[in-house]
Amino acid sequence: MQPAYIAHETAIIDVGASIGKNTRVWHWVHICSGATIGENCSLGQNVFIGNKVVIGHNVKIQNNVSVYDNITLGDDVFCGPSMVFTNVYNPRSAIPRKDEYRETIVENGVTFGANSTIVCGITIGRFAFVAAGAVVNKDVPPYALMVGVPARQIGWMSEFGEQIPLPLEGNGRYTCPYSNKQYQLRNSQMECVSK
Ligand SMILES: CC(C)(COP(=O)(O)OP(=O)(O)OC[C@H]1O[C@@H](n2cnc3c(N)ncnc32)[C@H](O)[C@@H]1OP(=O)(O)O)[C@@H](O)C(=O)NCCC(=O)NCCS
């Protein structure tokens, strides 16, 4: 029986890996046996997916990204080209640390710009946006725009992918001109208040 996903002939998909329908697997990808990948994802050239990895639906992983063990990606996550995840906080070649992997949780809708680096053991809140080249080493609030090394929050990003202009005028809400979704700050956290 034909698999429900599409894979280039150079991809190596270990027996046991679970891959959802309409997911596209491009050239020289390696997916380990324990991985679970949702539907409608795209794995670009030279992507590596480890064993203890769960990836949601509609996730786009661009060329040259490795998703190592103990990394979880929600739905609609975008990983820009050559961005880097990690799973050992303080690696030393001579000291085994396979029992010390730290979990990285990426919530739904997050974007990682090209060449950004995520130091392990943190949670990236939903729809956060990590700019190209940023190095993130602390938890990131939902909708935060993170820039630089080390990454600092310089604003908030809408689900559409535009900065939310501050201060919020009028009724304290911002309406996205593209999606009509409304955003509001509550307790210094950005929330999307429309369904
Ligand atoms: C973050 C991003 C979306 C720009 O958002 P924006 O709302 O238009 O932000 P601006 O360009 O107005 O920049 C705001 C400030 O952040 C700085 N900045 C923006 N992106 C930055 C980055 N990647 N690294 C460091 N500083 C950055 C700007 O220089 C500016 O600083 P200033 O106020 O001192 O002039 C864009 O820079 C980015 O990183 N996109 C990711 C591109 C990518 O990797 N795509 C992958 C698929 S090809």
Side-chain angles (χ1 to χ4, degrees):
M1 202 176 72
Q2 284 288 98
Y5 59 87
I6 300 148
H8 188 264
E9 60 186 13
T10 57
I12 297 171
I13 298 173
D14 294 344
V15 174
S18 166
I19 305 175
K21 69 173 190 288
N22 296 325
T23 283
R24 282 92 58 212
V25 179
W26 295 106
H27 306 58
W28 303 300
V29 169
H30 179 193
I31 301 174
C32 294
S33 57
T36 300
I37 301 168
E39 298 177 2
N40 297 313
C41 294
S42 170
L43 309 188
Q45 187 167 300
N46 199 34
V47 163
F48 169 78
I49 309 290
N51 274 304
K52 213 179 153 218
V53 171
V54 176
I55 295 175
H57 303 304
N58 197 39
V59 170
K60 294 194 174 60
I61 305 181
Q62 304 300 88
N63 293 359
N64 304 314
V65 173
S66 292
V67 187
Y68 299 115
D69 286 354
N70 295 62
I71 291 160
T72 301
L73 307 183
D75 297 335
D76 303 309
V77 170
F78 181 94
C79 298
S82 301
M83 62 80 57
V84 175
F85 289 109
T86 60
N87 62 3
V88 178
Y89 186 74
N90 55 339
R92 286 294 198 196
S93 184
I95 303 194
R97 294 228 153 95
K98 286 205 159 206
D99 297 336
E100 297 176 31
Y101 289 164
R102 296 191 185 184
E103 301 278 339
T104 296
I105 310 287
V106 179
E107 296 183 347
N108 294 350
V110 169
T111 291
F112 296 105
N115 254 330
S116 56
T117 296
I118 310 305
V119 179
C120 54
I122 63 175
T123 296
I124 317 282
R126 62 190 186 286
F127 293 100
F129 194 109
V130 176
V135 176
V136 182
N137 61 354
K138 292 190 171 59
D139 287 351
V140 174
Y143 300 99
L145 170 57
M146 307 297 294
V147 164
V149 181
R152 303 276 183 234
Q153 186 180 355
I154 62 162
W156 304 98
M157 244 4 195
S158 71
E159 295 182 17
F160 191 78
E162 301 278 348
Q163 261 196 76
I164 297 174
L166 294 176
L168 299 177
E169 306 280 342
N171 61 359
R173 290 188 175 187
Y174 168 72
T175 304
C176 171
Y178 304 99
S179 66
N180 276 327
K181 287 189 173 173
Q182 289 203 319
Y183 296 87
Q184 189 170 33
L185 275 170
R186 270 193 206 139
N187 302 323
S188 307
Q189 299 296 308
M190 189 60 74
E191 288 179 20
C192 181
V193 289
S194 29
K195 293 287 156 209

